[in-house]
Amino acid sequence: MVVFYLIDYTTLYHAVFLKKMSAHMQKTKILFVDDEQSYRNSFVRSFVDDEYLIETASDGENAMQKLMHFHADTVITDIKMPRMDGFALLQKIKNKYPDIFVVMATAYGGSDEAIRAMKAGANDYVIKPFDSDIIRMILSRMAEKKRNFQALLFKGEDRRKKFRFQNIIGQDIKMLKVFQMIKDVAATNSTVLLTGESGTGKELVAEAIHFESKRKDKPFIKVNCSALTDTLINSELFGHEKGAFTGAVIQKKGHFELAHGGTIFLDEIGDISVHTQLSLLRVLELGTFHRVGGTKTIKVDTRVICATNKNLEQAVQEKLFREDLFYRINVVALQLPPLRERKSDIPLLAFHFLNKLIKSHDSTKTTGIAKDALDMLIAHDWPGNVRELANILENAIIFCKKNKITPEYLPPQLTTRNKIKEFSLTLNSKSLPHAESQLIRSVLETSNWNLKRAAEDLDIARGTLYSKMKKYKIIRP
């Protein structure tokens, strides 16, 4: 069973979950969102005698207003609505209320909308017109997930030590899929290619695959290919014989030999030279190699896990990476999502790192994160991903003089987005359409033409942004 998590949160999340830690002792709160009054009335009538507290909203904007006073356990929302559609609402909830489960309603089962909803981070979807029994089943499943989630929070370190996923933290649906893939691929000897941006945790995933596999009692050897020069990498990977080159005063085993029976993790595989790629291809195809300067064929049983933040398919097209090697290492592809695409995990990661930092820095004063600071962490896009989050929190706890980390201890790049809307106060225009056009262009330029982020900053749906860009003929230069 895949287990991830969650390691001693501090004050803020204790307060949130303690209020809800016993779902069976209080009614589950449901917010139902649909622009059609008939659907809202029907939903309320269907569940009036059940153990639910139900609120309704007419669209996404109305839903966000309701959530300010009614903190739902689960939001069930239609997709097509005026003002703010279901997808825009989903992202707002994931950013602001990451502990709320979201179920998307679609009129077409198995449609592109349903698939898109799950990819966007919805916890489940339901088909319209509604079947009340199916909705009860989904709500029961959501409640069970929440109970399991809360139980893990209070189980303590002893339980978590049993699992090798303990360093990979996440509750986002994208991470749940990663956890399941780790479990599935660990049971095989297949070569794995981990892709994703720097700082997304590729090394942690490689470790998890190894320690969940039958090879867990054998060596796990990590090699940073980008740190080795072309003249050294063959010697490091395959070893060398005495006298093979100047300085080779003794015979040396390479990393593949040292990892015999276990796993070798080749990080930044896209940085190795074409010559080394040929040697690596032979090991993958035949399981054999020669030490540098040697003639003896050495056979090894070593599982290979590779990782890169580069586009290897493009490198193949540009003749920088061998096509045959690419297909050899790309047997099982596992792409790790960037932190900006799983923002519901940011509070979990933040308090995990805070707890570790409190212990490592022996901090007795700073024990939490203020809500406005946490909101800034959630709003940030994290180009450096989880590694950047850890570094920012370490810097904050070193200089923090208060019992909670407040915005003043966070770096400027986390607060600049809050200033974007000030463009509206400095526009020099005599007409409203021209002012709106200027504002949209300014926000797009500030967000580096990231349409998702620009729509969030403008507080409009992405579809509305597309329409306005077309209306004002705004095209990326």
Side-chain angles (χ1 to χ4, degrees), residues 222-265:
K222 296 180 282 188
V223 183
N224 185 350
C225 297
S226 64
L228 300 173
T229 63
D230 289 345
T231 55
L232 284 178
I233 192 165
N234 274 328
S235 173
E236 290 296 316
L237 292 178
F238 308 115
H240 61 252
E241 298 292 349
K242 180 180 179 180
F245 50 83
T246 303
V249 294
I250 58 172
Q251 183 193 76
K252 177 185 175 181
K253 290 184 178 181
H255 292 308
F256 269 92
E257 274 187 271
L258 296 174
H260 179 67
T263 304
I264 187 168
F265 173 52

mmCIF file of all heavy atoms in Angstrom, residues 222-265:
data_model
loop_
_atom_site.group_PDB
_atom_site.id
_atom_site.type_symbol
_atom_site.label_atom_id
_atom_site.label_comp_id
_atom_site.label_asym_id
_atom_site.label_seq_id
_atom_site.Cartn_x
_atom_site.Cartn_y
_atom_site.Cartn_z
ATOM 1 N N LYS A 222 24.402 6.616 -6.539
ATOM 2 C CA LYS A 222 23.975 7.839 -7.219
ATOM 3 C C LYS A 222 25.148 8.462 -7.963
ATOM 4 O O LYS A 222 26.234 8.617 -7.396
ATOM 5 C CB LYS A 222 23.414 8.835 -6.206
ATOM 6 C CG LYS A 222 22.151 8.350 -5.508
ATOM 7 C CD LYS A 222 21.617 9.363 -4.510
ATOM 8 C CE LYS A 222 22.418 9.345 -3.226
ATOM 9 N NZ LYS A 222 21.795 10.193 -2.172
ATOM 10 N N VAL A 223 24.916 8.831 -9.219
ATOM 11 C CA VAL A 223 25.952 9.457 -10.043
ATOM 12 C C VAL A 223 25.388 10.729 -10.661
ATOM 13 O O VAL A 223 24.379 10.685 -11.367
ATOM 14 C CB VAL A 223 26.426 8.514 -11.172
ATOM 15 C CG1 VAL A 223 27.552 9.178 -11.963
ATOM 16 C CG2 VAL A 223 26.858 7.169 -10.626
ATOM 17 N N ASN A 224 26.032 11.855 -10.391
ATOM 18 C CA ASN A 224 25.658 13.120 -11.024
ATOM 19 C C ASN A 224 26.485 13.278 -12.288
ATOM 20 O O ASN A 224 27.647 13.685 -12.251
ATOM 21 C CB ASN A 224 25.907 14.292 -10.069
ATOM 22 C CG ASN A 224 25.424 15.617 -10.641
ATOM 23 O OD1 ASN A 224 25.067 15.709 -11.815
ATOM 24 N ND2 ASN A 224 25.413 16.648 -9.818
ATOM 25 N N CYS A 225 25.895 12.950 -13.418
ATOM 26 C CA CYS A 225 26.640 12.935 -14.681
ATOM 27 C C CYS A 225 27.150 14.315 -15.070
ATOM 28 O O CYS A 225 28.204 14.445 -15.700
ATOM 29 C CB CYS A 225 25.759 12.378 -15.791
ATOM 30 S SG CYS A 225 25.244 10.660 -15.529
ATOM 31 N N SER A 226 26.420 15.371 -14.710
ATOM 32 C CA SER A 226 26.832 16.727 -15.096
ATOM 33 C C SER A 226 28.068 17.181 -14.341
ATOM 34 O O SER A 226 28.737 18.130 -14.759
ATOM 35 C CB SER A 226 25.683 17.713 -14.855
ATOM 36 O OG SER A 226 25.374 17.793 -13.471
ATOM 37 N N ALA A 227 28.397 16.512 -13.233
ATOM 38 C CA ALA A 227 29.564 16.906 -12.425
ATOM 39 C C ALA A 227 30.845 16.230 -12.888
ATOM 40 O O ALA A 227 31.917 16.521 -12.363
ATOM 41 C CB ALA A 227 29.310 16.576 -10.954
ATOM 42 N N LEU A 228 30.748 15.332 -13.868
ATOM 43 C CA LEU A 228 31.915 14.577 -14.329
ATOM 44 C C LEU A 228 32.338 15.045 -15.710
ATOM 45 O O LEU A 228 31.512 15.231 -16.594
ATOM 46 C CB LEU A 228 31.594 13.074 -14.370
ATOM 47 C CG LEU A 228 31.195 12.442 -13.033
ATOM 48 C CD1 LEU A 228 30.745 11.012 -13.246
ATOM 49 C CD2 LEU A 228 32.354 12.482 -12.050
ATOM 50 N N THR A 229 33.641 15.226 -15.889
ATOM 51 C CA THR A 229 34.162 15.613 -17.193
ATOM 52 C C THR A 229 34.164 14.408 -18.123
ATOM 53 O O THR A 229 34.071 13.256 -17.696
ATOM 54 C CB THR A 229 35.608 16.135 -17.062
ATOM 55 O OG1 THR A 229 36.450 15.071 -16.587
ATOM 56 C CG2 THR A 229 35.680 17.304 -16.086
ATOM 57 N N ASP A 230 34.271 14.683 -19.424
ATOM 58 C CA ASP A 230 34.282 13.604 -20.413
ATOM 59 C C ASP A 230 35.428 12.623 -20.183
ATOM 60 O O ASP A 230 35.304 11.429 -20.464
ATOM 61 C CB ASP A 230 34.390 14.194 -21.829
ATOM 62 C CG ASP A 230 33.099 14.886 -22.245
ATOM 63 O OD1 ASP A 230 32.075 14.659 -21.589
ATOM 64 O OD2 ASP A 230 33.128 15.662 -23.226
ATOM 65 N N THR A 231 36.542 13.121 -19.659
ATOM 66 C CA THR A 231 37.704 12.253 -19.456
ATOM 67 C C THR A 231 37.553 11.375 -18.214
ATOM 68 O O THR A 231 38.196 10.340 -18.103
ATOM 69 C CB THR A 231 38.989 13.095 -19.321
ATOM 70 O OG1 THR A 231 38.802 14.056 -18.266
ATOM 71 C CG2 THR A 231 39.295 13.817 -20.622
ATOM 72 N N LEU A 232 36.701 11.785 -17.285
ATOM 73 C CA LEU A 232 36.548 11.031 -16.040
ATOM 74 C C LEU A 232 35.331 10.117 -16.006
ATOM 75 O O LEU A 232 35.332 9.119 -15.292
ATOM 76 C CB LEU A 232 36.450 12.006 -14.851
ATOM 77 C CG LEU A 232 37.732 12.674 -14.372
ATOM 78 C CD1 LEU A 232 37.420 13.632 -13.246
ATOM 79 C CD2 LEU A 232 38.731 11.617 -13.892
ATOM 80 N N ILE A 233 34.297 10.429 -16.790
ATOM 81 C CA ILE A 233 33.026 9.746 -16.597
ATOM 82 C C ILE A 233 33.099 8.252 -16.906
ATOM 83 O O ILE A 233 32.520 7.427 -16.201
ATOM 84 C CB ILE A 233 31.904 10.413 -17.422
ATOM 85 C CG1 ILE A 233 30.544 9.859 -16.965
ATOM 86 C CG2 ILE A 233 32.121 10.237 -18.914
ATOM 87 C CD1 ILE A 233 29.374 10.681 -17.441
ATOM 88 N N ASN A 234 33.840 7.869 -17.935
ATOM 89 C CA ASN A 234 33.964 6.440 -18.241
ATOM 90 C C ASN A 234 34.662 5.695 -17.114
ATOM 91 O O ASN A 234 34.277 4.581 -16.752
ATOM 92 C CB ASN A 234 34.719 6.229 -19.550
ATOM 93 C CG ASN A 234 33.809 6.297 -20.756
ATOM 94 O OD1 ASN A 234 32.632 5.927 -20.674
ATOM 95 N ND2 ASN A 234 34.322 6.783 -21.878
ATOM 96 N N SER A 235 35.684 6.323 -16.544
ATOM 97 C CA SER A 235 36.388 5.710 -15.425
ATOM 98 C C SER A 235 35.480 5.597 -14.207
ATOM 99 O O SER A 235 35.494 4.595 -13.496
ATOM 100 C CB SER A 235 37.635 6.528 -15.076
ATOM 101 O OG SER A 235 38.247 6.045 -13.897
ATOM 102 N N GLU A 236 34.670 6.622 -13.963
ATOM 103 C CA GLU A 236 33.766 6.600 -12.811
ATOM 104 C C GLU A 236 32.674 5.555 -12.985
ATOM 105 O O GLU A 236 32.317 4.846 -12.044
ATOM 106 C CB GLU A 236 33.146 7.982 -12.608
ATOM 107 C CG GLU A 236 34.119 9.037 -12.125
ATOM 108 C CD GLU A 236 34.673 8.737 -10.741
ATOM 109 O OE1 GLU A 236 33.880 8.346 -9.859
ATOM 110 O OE2 GLU A 236 35.883 8.883 -10.550
ATOM 111 N N LEU A 237 32.132 5.462 -14.188
ATOM 112 C CA LEU A 237 31.029 4.527 -14.417
ATOM 113 C C LEU A 237 31.503 3.086 -14.527
ATOM 114 O O LEU A 237 30.872 2.167 -13.979
ATOM 115 C CB LEU A 237 30.259 4.906 -15.689
ATOM 116 C CG LEU A 237 29.455 6.197 -15.657
ATOM 117 C CD1 LEU A 237 28.788 6.442 -17.009
ATOM 118 C CD2 LEU A 237 28.402 6.176 -14.555
ATOM 119 N N PHE A 238 32.609 2.870 -15.231
ATOM 120 C CA PHE A 238 33.021 1.498 -15.554
ATOM 121 C C PHE A 238 34.330 1.072 -14.902
ATOM 122 O O PHE A 238 34.742 -0.087 -15.028
ATOM 123 C CB PHE A 238 33.129 1.347 -17.081
ATOM 124 C CG PHE A 238 31.898 1.809 -17.800
ATOM 125 C CD1 PHE A 238 31.937 2.912 -18.647
ATOM 126 C CD2 PHE A 238 30.683 1.167 -17.621
ATOM 127 C CE1 PHE A 238 30.805 3.361 -19.296
ATOM 128 C CE2 PHE A 238 29.539 1.607 -18.262
ATOM 129 C CZ PHE A 238 29.601 2.710 -19.105
ATOM 130 N N GLY A 239 34.999 2.002 -14.192
ATOM 131 C CA GLY A 239 36.248 1.657 -13.534
ATOM 132 C C GLY A 239 37.430 1.688 -14.484
ATOM 133 O O GLY A 239 37.289 1.946 -15.680
ATOM 134 N N HIS A 240 38.619 1.438 -13.951
ATOM 135 C CA HIS A 240 39.812 1.400 -14.804
ATOM 136 C C HIS A 240 40.821 0.406 -14.250
ATOM 137 O O HIS A 240 40.785 0.035 -13.070
ATOM 138 C CB HIS A 240 40.445 2.794 -14.928
ATOM 139 C CG HIS A 240 40.901 3.378 -13.623
ATOM 140 N ND1 HIS A 240 40.245 4.426 -13.021
ATOM 141 C CD2 HIS A 240 41.938 3.065 -12.781
ATOM 142 C CE1 HIS A 240 40.855 4.747 -11.889
ATOM 143 N NE2 HIS A 240 41.887 3.928 -11.729
ATOM 144 N N GLU A 241 41.710 -0.012 -15.127
ATOM 145 C CA GLU A 241 42.801 -0.905 -14.736
ATOM 146 C C GLU A 241 44.014 -0.083 -14.315
ATOM 147 O O GLU A 241 44.141 1.090 -14.685
ATOM 148 C CB GLU A 241 43.183 -1.820 -15.906
ATOM 149 C CG GLU A 241 42.072 -2.739 -16.380
ATOM 150 C CD GLU A 241 41.703 -3.817 -15.366
ATOM 151 O OE1 GLU A 241 42.463 -3.984 -14.375
ATOM 152 O OE2 GLU A 241 40.668 -4.472 -15.552
ATOM 153 N N LYS A 242 44.868 -0.689 -13.546
ATOM 154 C CA LYS A 242 46.106 -0.036 -13.125
ATOM 155 C C LYS A 242 46.923 0.340 -14.354
ATOM 156 O O LYS A 242 47.137 -0.486 -15.247
ATOM 157 C CB LYS A 242 46.899 -0.964 -12.210
ATOM 158 C CG LYS A 242 48.205 -0.371 -11.715
ATOM 159 C CD LYS A 242 48.934 -1.362 -10.800
ATOM 160 C CE LYS A 242 50.252 -0.782 -10.319
ATOM 161 N NZ LYS A 242 50.974 -1.746 -9.428
ATOM 162 N N GLY A 243 47.359 1.597 -14.406
ATOM 163 C CA GLY A 243 48.175 2.065 -15.519
ATOM 164 C C GLY A 243 47.394 2.448 -16.753
ATOM 165 O O GLY A 243 47.984 2.730 -17.802
ATOM 166 N N ALA A 244 46.066 2.486 -16.658
ATOM 167 C CA ALA A 244 45.250 2.807 -17.838
ATOM 168 C C ALA A 244 45.503 4.235 -18.315
ATOM 169 O O ALA A 244 45.393 4.529 -19.504
ATOM 170 C CB ALA A 244 43.777 2.608 -17.526
ATOM 171 N N PHE A 245 45.834 5.125 -17.400
ATOM 172 C CA PHE A 245 46.144 6.507 -17.747
ATOM 173 C C PHE A 245 46.968 7.094 -16.609
ATOM 174 O O PHE A 245 47.125 6.470 -15.547
ATOM 175 C CB PHE A 245 44.866 7.329 -17.975
ATOM 176 C CG PHE A 245 43.851 7.205 -16.866
ATOM 177 C CD1 PHE A 245 43.944 7.975 -15.710
ATOM 178 C CD2 PHE A 245 42.805 6.287 -16.972
ATOM 179 C CE1 PHE A 245 43.009 7.857 -14.696
ATOM 180 C CE2 PHE A 245 41.873 6.162 -15.957
ATOM 181 C CZ PHE A 245 41.967 6.940 -14.813
ATOM 182 N N THR A 246 47.527 8.252 -16.826
ATOM 183 C CA THR A 246 48.347 8.890 -15.810
ATOM 184 C C THR A 246 47.540 9.091 -14.534
ATOM 185 O O THR A 246 46.457 9.667 -14.552
ATOM 186 C CB THR A 246 48.843 10.261 -16.303
ATOM 187 O OG1 THR A 246 49.560 10.081 -17.519
ATOM 188 C CG2 THR A 246 49.741 10.910 -15.259
ATOM 189 N N GLY A 247 48.030 8.604 -13.426
ATOM 190 C CA GLY A 247 47.336 8.718 -12.156
ATOM 191 C C GLY A 247 46.574 7.465 -11.774
ATOM 192 O O GLY A 247 46.115 7.340 -10.625
ATOM 193 N N ALA A 248 46.432 6.526 -12.708
ATOM 194 C CA ALA A 248 45.719 5.272 -12.403
ATOM 195 C C ALA A 248 46.706 4.296 -11.772
ATOM 196 O O ALA A 248 47.186 3.357 -12.416
ATOM 197 C CB ALA A 248 45.096 4.693 -13.668
ATOM 198 N N VAL A 249 47.020 4.499 -10.496
ATOM 199 C CA VAL A 249 48.068 3.714 -9.836
ATOM 200 C C VAL A 249 47.535 2.388 -9.291
ATOM 201 O O VAL A 249 48.313 1.503 -8.944
ATOM 202 C CB VAL A 249 48.704 4.533 -8.695
ATOM 203 C CG1 VAL A 249 49.441 5.739 -9.258
ATOM 204 C CG2 VAL A 249 47.653 4.981 -7.681
ATOM 205 N N ILE A 250 46.219 2.255 -9.210
ATOM 206 C CA ILE A 250 45.624 0.991 -8.759
ATOM 207 C C ILE A 250 44.401 0.692 -9.623
ATOM 208 O O ILE A 250 43.863 1.574 -10.289
ATOM 209 C CB ILE A 250 45.184 1.026 -7.276
ATOM 210 C CG1 ILE A 250 44.166 2.153 -7.047
ATOM 211 C CG2 ILE A 250 46.386 1.175 -6.347
ATOM 212 C CD1 ILE A 250 43.541 2.148 -5.660
ATOM 213 N N GLN A 251 43.993 -0.576 -9.581
ATOM 214 C CA GLN A 251 42.749 -0.928 -10.266
ATOM 215 C C GLN A 251 41.562 -0.344 -9.481
ATOM 216 O O GLN A 251 41.563 -0.338 -8.256
ATOM 217 C CB GLN A 251 42.603 -2.449 -10.340
ATOM 218 C CG GLN A 251 41.376 -2.914 -11.100
ATOM 219 C CD GLN A 251 41.097 -4.400 -10.879
ATOM 220 O OE1 GLN A 251 40.604 -4.791 -9.823
ATOM 221 N NE2 GLN A 251 41.461 -5.224 -11.870
ATOM 222 N N LYS A 252 40.564 0.157 -10.199
ATOM 223 C CA LYS A 252 39.408 0.759 -9.544
ATOM 224 C C LYS A 252 38.113 0.232 -10.149
ATOM 225 O O LYS A 252 37.948 0.207 -11.363
ATOM 226 C CB LYS A 252 39.444 2.293 -9.699
ATOM 227 C CG LYS A 252 38.241 2.997 -9.097
ATOM 228 C CD LYS A 252 38.258 4.490 -9.387
ATOM 229 C CE LYS A 252 36.987 5.175 -8.881
ATOM 230 N NZ LYS A 252 36.973 6.618 -9.183
ATOM 231 N N LYS A 253 37.207 -0.175 -9.279
ATOM 232 C CA LYS A 253 35.880 -0.588 -9.739
ATOM 233 C C LYS A 253 35.027 0.653 -9.992
ATOM 234 O O LYS A 253 35.093 1.627 -9.240
ATOM 235 C CB LYS A 253 35.199 -1.477 -8.706
ATOM 236 C CG LYS A 253 35.821 -2.854 -8.553
ATOM 237 C CD LYS A 253 35.004 -3.693 -7.569
ATOM 238 C CE LYS A 253 35.592 -5.099 -7.457
ATOM 239 N NZ LYS A 253 34.790 -5.944 -6.523
ATOM 240 N N GLY A 254 34.212 0.585 -11.052
ATOM 241 C CA GLY A 254 33.328 1.694 -11.368
ATOM 242 C C GLY A 254 31.980 1.551 -10.679
ATOM 243 O O GLY A 254 31.698 0.563 -9.991
ATOM 244 N N HIS A 255 31.153 2.554 -10.873
ATOM 245 C CA HIS A 255 29.856 2.578 -10.189
ATOM 246 C C HIS A 255 28.953 1.424 -10.607
ATOM 247 O O HIS A 255 28.158 0.936 -9.790
ATOM 248 C CB HIS A 255 29.162 3.909 -10.467
ATOM 249 C CG HIS A 255 29.848 5.082 -9.841
ATOM 250 N ND1 HIS A 255 30.188 5.123 -8.507
ATOM 251 C CD2 HIS A 255 30.267 6.269 -10.369
ATOM 252 C CE1 HIS A 255 30.773 6.277 -8.231
ATOM 253 N NE2 HIS A 255 30.842 6.990 -9.349
ATOM 254 N N PHE A 256 29.046 0.976 -11.860
ATOM 255 C CA PHE A 256 28.208 -0.143 -12.280
ATOM 256 C C PHE A 256 28.577 -1.420 -11.534
ATOM 257 O O PHE A 256 27.695 -2.195 -11.137
ATOM 258 C CB PHE A 256 28.308 -0.352 -13.794
ATOM 259 C CG PHE A 256 27.286 0.407 -14.578
ATOM 260 C CD1 PHE A 256 27.558 1.667 -15.074
ATOM 261 C CD2 PHE A 256 26.029 -0.128 -14.804
ATOM 262 C CE1 PHE A 256 26.612 2.384 -15.778
ATOM 263 C CE2 PHE A 256 25.067 0.572 -15.515
ATOM 264 C CZ PHE A 256 25.356 1.840 -16.005
ATOM 265 N N GLU A 257 29.853 -1.642 -11.335
ATOM 266 C CA GLU A 257 30.274 -2.827 -10.561
ATOM 267 C C GLU A 257 29.854 -2.696 -9.100
ATOM 268 O O GLU A 257 29.396 -3.663 -8.478
ATOM 269 C CB GLU A 257 31.792 -2.986 -10.644
ATOM 270 C CG GLU A 257 32.279 -3.760 -11.851
ATOM 271 C CD GLU A 257 33.771 -4.034 -11.779
ATOM 272 O OE1 GLU A 257 34.544 -3.186 -12.263
ATOM 273 O OE2 GLU A 257 34.166 -5.092 -11.231
ATOM 274 N N LEU A 258 30.027 -1.520 -8.548
ATOM 275 C CA LEU A 258 29.677 -1.308 -7.145
ATOM 276 C C LEU A 258 28.176 -1.474 -6.912
ATOM 277 O O LEU A 258 27.740 -1.834 -5.818
ATOM 278 C CB LEU A 258 30.119 0.090 -6.704
ATOM 279 C CG LEU A 258 31.631 0.353 -6.717
ATOM 280 C CD1 LEU A 258 31.912 1.821 -6.394
ATOM 281 C CD2 LEU A 258 32.346 -0.555 -5.709
ATOM 282 N N ALA A 259 27.384 -1.221 -7.954
ATOM 283 C CA ALA A 259 25.927 -1.329 -7.827
ATOM 284 C C ALA A 259 25.411 -2.709 -8.218
ATOM 285 O O ALA A 259 24.197 -2.912 -8.317
ATOM 286 C CB ALA A 259 25.257 -0.269 -8.692
ATOM 287 N N HIS A 260 26.279 -3.677 -8.413
ATOM 288 C CA HIS A 260 25.875 -5.021 -8.833
ATOM 289 C C HIS A 260 24.830 -5.596 -7.871
ATOM 290 O O HIS A 260 25.002 -5.590 -6.655
ATOM 291 C CB HIS A 260 27.092 -5.954 -8.879
ATOM 292 C CG HIS A 260 26.747 -7.364 -9.270
ATOM 293 N ND1 HIS A 260 26.288 -7.688 -10.517
ATOM 294 C CD2 HIS A 260 26.778 -8.519 -8.556
ATOM 295 C CE1 HIS A 260 26.060 -8.992 -10.572
ATOM 296 N NE2 HIS A 260 26.355 -9.515 -9.389
ATOM 297 N N GLY A 261 23.716 -6.045 -8.434
ATOM 298 C CA GLY A 261 22.625 -6.577 -7.627
ATOM 299 C C GLY A 261 21.659 -5.510 -7.150
ATOM 300 O O GLY A 261 20.560 -5.816 -6.682
ATOM 301 N N GLY A 262 22.083 -4.249 -7.265
ATOM 302 C CA GLY A 262 21.260 -3.143 -6.786
ATOM 303 C C GLY A 262 20.845 -2.215 -7.906
ATOM 304 O O GLY A 262 20.484 -2.655 -9.000
ATOM 305 N N THR A 263 20.921 -0.913 -7.633
ATOM 306 C CA THR A 263 20.423 0.098 -8.568
ATOM 307 C C THR A 263 21.452 1.203 -8.739
ATOM 308 O O THR A 263 22.078 1.626 -7.764
ATOM 309 C CB THR A 263 19.116 0.724 -8.043
ATOM 310 O OG1 THR A 263 18.157 -0.304 -7.811
ATOM 311 C CG2 THR A 263 18.544 1.731 -9.029
ATOM 312 N N ILE A 264 21.633 1.659 -9.965
ATOM 313 C CA ILE A 264 22.447 2.837 -10.218
ATOM 314 C C ILE A 264 21.530 3.947 -10.724
ATOM 315 O O ILE A 264 20.679 3.725 -11.588
ATOM 316 C CB ILE A 264 23.581 2.550 -11.239
ATOM 317 C CG1 ILE A 264 24.517 3.770 -11.343
ATOM 318 C CG2 ILE A 264 23.044 2.157 -12.601
ATOM 319 C CD1 ILE A 264 25.815 3.473 -12.095
ATOM 320 N N PHE A 265 21.677 5.123 -10.135
ATOM 321 C CA PHE A 265 20.862 6.287 -10.497
ATOM 322 C C PHE A 265 21.748 7.277 -11.232
ATOM 323 O O PHE A 265 22.664 7.864 -10.648
ATOM 324 C CB PHE A 265 20.257 6.922 -9.251
ATOM 325 C CG PHE A 265 19.546 8.220 -9.503
ATOM 326 C CD1 PHE A 265 18.577 8.325 -10.489
ATOM 327 C CD2 PHE A 265 19.837 9.350 -8.739
ATOM 328 C CE1 PHE A 265 17.916 9.522 -10.722
ATOM 329 C CE2 PHE A 265 19.177 10.551 -8.962
ATOM 330 C CZ PHE A 265 18.212 10.636 -9.965
#
